[in-house]
Amino acid sequence: MTRSPSKLIPDDFRTLPGLDDLEAVTVVAREPGDGDEAVGYTVFAEGDVPAELGLDRDALTRAGFDPKVGQALVIPSASGPDLVAVGAGVADELDPAALRDLAAAFARATARRARIALVVGGSHGDPTGTVRAVVEGIVLSRYRYRVLKTSPTHTPLAELSLRVAAADAADIAAGAADALVSARAAVIARDLANTPPGWLTATDIGDIAVQLGARFGFGVELFDKAALIELGCGGLLGVNQGSVEEPRMVKLTYTPEAAASAHLALVGKGIMYDSGGISLKPSDPMHLLMKMDMGGAAAVLGAFTGLRDAGVGTRVTGWLMCTDNMPSGTSYKLGDVLVARDGTTVEVKNTDAEGRLVMMDAIALANEENVDAIIDIATLTGAALMALGQSTAPVLANDQRMADLALAASETTDEPLWQLPLERKYRSQLDSDVADISNLGGKYAGATTAALFLDHFVGDTPWAHLDIAGTMQTDKDDSWRSAGATGFGARTLLEIARTFAL
Ligand code: BES
Ligand code: MN
Ligand code: ZN
């Protein structure tokens, strides 16, 4: 790895601390008992309150407990474990998203406890799915990026015991295994996006991908600057021009054991740090978040770590387009013309619209492999954040089947997407007087014009585009989304790969 002297990173620095924490958790199917430091019981809006809590509904209400999803009341005990009343709302409305939320509320209320137990009542049509949602909610909410604190106060989860009405031990084992695969994808994406930019360069993410590929069953090929010149990836090279760090294109390949019926491409924006380049960003709090401008690449890499273990039957190829975007004497300039891998000439009207430039080369490469479909994911535009905020990400597509696939997967994972129209009328905003296309649209509909730029390279291949600029991060804990990088998209991409069919 290339390291400047200011980056004296300790040898024992844990690159993926959240993954280490996750892998230390055991999930067991058993009754609450010895060793549990906290035991939670679901309390529905109606019906009996579990007798184990030792309080009736009136007493809980007097203590300020409201049995809705998201509420949890800890009842401390002098001798035994803490008892926790966990709001479960109306029994009929308990879908996977609500189960994830109630489990997160329980896990946050018991954040100081390493060994916790939860008893989930009610009747559940899909016992494995119920367990899966509960375990996801617990482990994702307990995520913390604390590796850079000298004295961390965070208590990692060690053991989770579960009893879920209608689920036997086999259901619990199966649901927990599914949950840990999908949570792993998100946690890896969070770790990568939370890492400071000086501690995670394009070279570093390539090296990490190689290690993850060996562990989780996918191939990794690294393309350095010389290889990118050979390939003619003028977008990634142009953006990299101002940086002392080398770029990396990281190609990931997953081949299922049984013959695959389809081939899906996943493309991720990997701007390790986006200063804006010569079109320098102002030094405001938003700029501070630009270490997460590789959230798309992180989501793709996270999703790849789940493909084998989720038994995905589709062939999947990924491209992570990694570099930082820096101002310097060697930077690419406004007015420069870059030549994309497919030969398209691109006039640079703003060096801060760099994401689309690195993505264009990867989309061209995916098309050369005749993939059946392309999904790209990128922290692409401030306009996405302005339009839909921090909870929901826009999806744009050239094929309604692709939008529907992404929307359905996002329902399953509770990573909300909302479709915006790919309004082709706006395409003329990208016209250039000197080149085939420019990288800057007009004042309005910035998420759409960015997507229209990508669409030029996609051509007729079925495609959906996820703009996660708004959802990559949360300022504070929000149910199972822990403060900091959310890993948004990693679980959804895994679900898209799992359900892919056209
Ligand atoms: N990485 C940013 C987009 C972004 C903004 C991500 C806020 C996360 C939070 C992207 O590279 C960018 O700078 N986009 C510009 C494009 C513009 C110059 C056309 C933007 O949105 O302002
Ligand atoms: Mn930018
Ligand atoms: Zn950017």
Side-chain angles (χ1 to χ4, degrees), residues 269 274 281 290 293 350 352 354 379-382 440 469 472:
K269 170 176 170 181
D274 183 10
K281 287 181 186 292
M290 287 305 139
D293 208 21
N350 189 319
D352 199 12
E354 83 298 338
T379 49
L380 206 61
T381 65
L440 187 63
M472 68 180 192

Side-chain angles (χ1 to χ4, degrees), residues 232-477:
C233 289
L236 183 52
L237 287 164
V239 174
N240 177 251
Q241 225 173 268
S243 179
V244 294
E245 293 288 341
E246 270 225 14
R248 282 288 182 276
M249 181 171 82
V250 185
K251 184 177 179 189
L252 313 176
T253 46
Y254 167 74
T255 316
E257 258 176 31
S261 54
H263 187 187
L264 174 66
L266 300 180
V267 176
K269 170 176 170 181
I271 299 297
M272 311 312 292
Y273 179 69
D274 183 10
S275 73
I278 295 299
S279 311
L280 190 63
K281 287 181 186 292
S283 214
D284 62 17
M286 194 49 93
H287 197 157
L288 184 63
L289 296 179
M290 287 305 139
K291 66 171 184 181
M292 298 185 189
D293 208 21
M294 30 58 73
V300 172
L301 183 51
F304 263 81
T305 67
L307 296 173
R308 179 193 64 195
D309 294 349
V312 168
T314 299
R315 182 178 160 205
V316 190
T317 305
W319 283 267
L320 316 182
M321 305 305 279
C322 304
T323 176
D324 40 18
N325 181 26
M326 296 297 284
S328 81
T330 61
S331 295
Y332 77 134
K333 305 161 189 74
L334 284 75
D336 265 341
V337 172
L338 306 178
V339 184
R341 162 72 188 174
D342 71 355
T344 302
T345 56
V346 184
E347 182 186 8
V348 177
K349 289 189 179 170
N350 189 319
T351 62
D352 199 12
E354 83 298 338
R356 61 197 76 181
L357 298 173
V358 303
M359 302 289 277
M360 70 185 180
D361 291 326
I363 291 170
L365 287 165
N367 270 331
E368 287 173 37
E369 297 206 6
N370 289 316
V371 296
D372 296 302
I374 300 172
I375 308 259
D376 86 79
I377 180 163
T379 49
L380 206 61
T381 65
L385 171 63
M386 293 307 244
L388 299 180
Q390 289 189 300
S391 295
T392 301
V395 54
L396 296 98
N398 67 355
D399 181 320
Q400 194 52 40
R401 295 171 303 171
M402 293 300 292
D404 290 342
L405 188 68
L407 289 164
S410 106
E411 280 280 321
T412 306
T413 58
D414 198 19
E415 292 187 320
L417 295 178
W418 190 261
Q419 190 175 4
L420 296 184
L422 189 68
E423 180 52 71
R424 293 189 188 280
K425 258 191 198 166
Y426 303 159
R427 171 61 180 77
S428 59
Q429 295 181 28
L430 299 169
D431 288 349
S432 163
D433 290 338
V434 300
D436 298 333
I437 191 168
S438 104
N439 76 333
L440 187 63
K443 192 169 169 190
Y444 308 120
T448 307
T449 50
L452 285 167
F453 179 92
L454 300 178
D455 172 74
H456 171 91
F457 299 88
V458 168
D460 296 330
T461 310
W463 160 71
H465 159 68
L466 276 50
D467 190 336
I468 58 166
T471 56
M472 68 180 192
Q473 180 267 353
T474 174
D475 302 328
K476 52 178 174 33
D477 288 341

Side-chain angles (χ1 to χ4, degrees), residues 146-277:
R146 280 293 152 78
V147 73
L148 299 174
K149 296 237 186 225
T150 345
S151 316
T153 51
H154 169 57
T155 309
L157 189 62
E159 188 179 279
L160 167 65
S161 334
L162 274 183
R163 200 181 83 202
V164 175
D168 60 20
D171 296 330
I172 289 183
D178 288 350
L180 293 174
V181 170
S182 112
R184 184 169 75 203
V187 157
I188 289 171
R190 288 179 183 183
D191 277 345
L192 292 170
N194 279 324
T195 307
W199 298 54
L200 185 75
T201 63
T203 316
D204 295 336
I205 198 173
D207 294 345
I208 292 169
V210 170
Q211 291 165 18
L212 291 173
R215 277 177 70 183
F216 299 118
F218 56 94
V220 181
E221 196 180 345
L222 301 178
F223 296 79
D224 63 8
K225 192 167 179 171
L228 290 164
I229 292 171
E230 197 60 40
L231 281 175
C233 289
L236 183 52
L237 287 164
V239 174
N240 177 251
Q241 225 173 268
S243 179
V244 294
E245 293 288 341
E246 270 225 14
R248 282 288 182 276
M249 181 171 82
V250 185
K251 184 177 179 189
L252 313 176
T253 46
Y254 167 74
T255 316
E257 258 176 31
S261 54
H263 187 187
L264 174 66
L266 300 180
V267 176
K269 170 176 170 181
I271 299 297
M272 311 312 292
Y273 179 69
D274 183 10
S275 73

Side-chain angles (χ1 to χ4, degrees), residues 7 23 86 90 93 114 144 246 256 297 310 319 337 346 362 393 397 412 445:
K7 291 182 247 156
E23 290 186 325
V86 182
V90 178
E93 294 169 6
R144 272 282 168 274
E246 270 225 14
W319 283 267
V337 172
V346 184
T412 306

Side-chain angles (χ1 to χ4, degrees), residues 50-75:
E52 292 89 340
L53 285 173
L55 297 176
D56 63 12
R57 193 172 286 278
D58 281 348
L60 284 174
T61 308
R62 281 198 304 277
F65 176 73
D66 178 350
K68 68 183 185 198
V69 171
Q71 299 284 313
L73 177 75
V74 179
I75 307 159

